[in-house]
Amino acid sequence: MRIGVLTGGGDCPGLNAVIRAAVRKGSKEYGHEFVGFRYGWRGPIEGITQELNWDTVENILDQGGTILHSSRTNPYKIEGGVEAIKKNMADLGVDALIAIGGEDTLGVATKLTADGVNCVGVPKTIDNDLSGTDYTFGFDTAVNIATEAIDRLWTTADSHDRCIVVEIMGRHAGWMTLHAGIAGGANVTLIPEVAFDIEKVANFVKERKEAGKATIVAVSEGAHAESGMVLKDGEVDAFGHVKLGGVGDWVAKEIKERADIETRAIILGHLQRGGTPTAFDRVLATRLGLEAASAVHEGDFGKMMALQGTNVVRIPINEGTDVLKTVPVERYADAEVFFGV
């Protein structure tokens, strides 16, 4: 069997560990051949390939990003895109695809499965917002990066009695901001699941200032005040997503004006995606890659590899993408988290 592998959507620490595990197990234990498709779904559409074998993946376990590169290409938005994928797979002798990605990449894999393409999915997102799996690889690395940033910002905030607003990635789910906020001891945590009251946030910061205390505000890029969401611009990608970002600057400006307190904003942005994956993410990514190779070998297509408890299991791909996994806010009522309401 010849197996194609692709990585789509945003890059993420641990992608290379998945590729490595799938190729090593699939080639050594099952005797299959592998071919990498570059630039996400653009690869199989245009027939852009890269050799994948034991030697090419041997030393990529600790590398961030993806050796296959990525894109946000949507074959269902390109005329003849699905037909091109089928033709190129047939011409290259590729029998099945391992698609590694988030809701958009796996959403395409779900549709392709229904259209007769043999696909299995491996969930990837630093946002940890895919249902059906307790954790996605990349999340732990991103949370650690954001936590370290908050730790460092505390020293300068304390030195100047300032309020510092830290904008953290998280489009529609606040998992990263919540975990980094709790771990870093942020005083205010603003997430997409809760529309915050900027007046209450400003008053809270003012009270801390009057008590001689600095304040750290952790805010998801997708968080929004009761008055509405802050958008970077009106541009949308191939999957219909608008660009987010800028809420950190807005919150800092509002706090400064309402509370008359020196306030700074830091946007972590793509810093959270970069660098080497943590040990947890390397292990999780490896386990998912091994299971994906087995699923393809067994012909168990249309499945997504998922972590449930401590076990890696297979579930229908659509179970991981149909419903966004958001933060159950009520569970954190006793965790000393101030959501700005």
Side-chain angles (χ1 to χ4, degrees), residues 219-233:
V219 55
S220 295
E221 63 180 352
H224 56 93
E226 294 172 343
S227 58
M229 180 176 285
V230 177
L231 299 178
K232 189 172 185 180
D233 54 46

Side-chain angles (χ1 to χ4, degrees), residues 235-246:
E235 185 179 348
V236 298
D237 63 19
F239 293 92
H241 300 308
V242 296
K243 288 186 177 180
L244 300 180

Side-chain angles (χ1 to χ4, degrees), residues 19-323:
I19 298 168
R20 174 180 177 272
V23 172
R24 284 165 68 97
K25 183 171 185 177
S27 59
K28 183 177 181 180
E29 186 169 331
Y30 301 129
H32 298 315
E33 294 182 0
F34 285 81
V35 59
F37 284 107
R38 293 167 65 85
Y39 308 114
W41 289 113
R42 180 183 158 201
I45 292 173
E46 300 181 14
I48 310 172
T49 64
Q50 175 177 331
E51 185 177 10
L52 287 180
N53 56 43
W54 188 277
D55 291 332
T56 60
V57 303
E58 185 173 7
N59 296 315
I60 65 173
L61 175 65
D62 61 343
Q63 292 182 24
T66 165
I67 63 169
L68 295 178
H69 299 265
S70 188
S71 74
R72 295 191 182 278
T73 304
N74 184 351
Y76 286 91
K77 293 292 185 179
I78 298 174
E79 185 176 354
V82 175
E83 291 72 21
I85 288 176
K86 292 181 178 180
K87 183 180 185 301
N88 284 323
M89 286 180 63
D91 291 345
L92 292 166
V94 175
D95 304 291
L97 286 174
I98 296 176
I100 313 168
E103 60 174 324
D104 296 325
T105 300
L106 298 185
V108 170
T110 299
K111 292 181 179 179
L112 285 175
T113 299
D115 286 334
V117 178
N118 295 329
C119 296
V120 300
V122 177
K124 170 255 15 163
T125 170
I126 62 174
D127 293 342
N128 197 42
D129 60 357
L130 291 177
S131 56
T133 185
D134 292 341
Y135 286 98
T136 49
F137 68 87
F139 173 69
D140 185 71
T141 302
V143 167
N144 274 277
I145 291 170
T147 300
E148 181 181 355
I150 292 173
D151 288 345
R152 291 176 179 274
L153 289 169
W154 263 122
T155 61
T156 186
D158 278 336
S159 297
H160 298 273
D161 296 328
R162 274 182 188 148
C163 172
I164 296 184
V165 179
V166 187
E167 184 179 311
I168 298 171
M169 281 185 168
R171 175 174 291 275
H172 298 301
W175 292 105
M176 242 197 308
T177 302
L178 177 66
H179 280 241
I182 292 175
N187 309 108
V188 183
T189 303
L190 308 178
I191 59 177
E193 291 84 349
V194 182
F196 61 88
D197 184 332
I198 189 60
E199 186 67 25
K200 289 184 178 180
V201 172
N203 288 339
F204 179 83
V205 175
K206 186 175 182 179
E207 289 173 3
R208 287 184 57 82
K209 173 70 173 181
E210 292 172 349
K213 299 177 181 179
T215 301
I216 296 290
V217 178
V219 55
S220 295
E221 63 180 352
H224 56 93
E226 294 172 343
S227 58
M229 180 176 285
V230 177
L231 299 178
K232 189 172 185 180
D233 54 46
E235 185 179 348
V236 298
D237 63 19
F239 293 92
H241 300 308
V242 296
K243 288 186 177 180
L244 300 180
V247 66
D249 288 328
W250 182 83
V251 169
K253 176 176 175 291
E254 291 294 318
I255 290 174
K256 183 177 181 180
E257 291 180 355
R258 293 168 184 264
D260 192 26
I261 295 171
E262 186 176 8
T263 306
R264 297 286 188 270
I266 301 295
I267 300 175
L268 298 185
H270 288 79
L271 180 67
Q272 295 156 96
R273 293 190 183 279
T276 60
T278 60
F280 179 89
D281 280 339
R282 297 183 201 189
V283 172
L284 176 56
T286 297
R287 294 181 67 195
L288 295 173
L290 296 174
E291 189 65 22
S294 295
V296 172
H297 176 72
E298 296 167 14
D300 194 10
F301 302 118
K303 297 295 179 62
M304 182 187 91
M305 312 305 111
L307 180 70
Q308 296 185 353
T310 58
N311 299 317
V312 172
V313 300
R314 303 173 194 171
I315 63 174
I317 299 178
N318 66 291
E319 289 186 9
T321 59
D322 283 353
V323 179

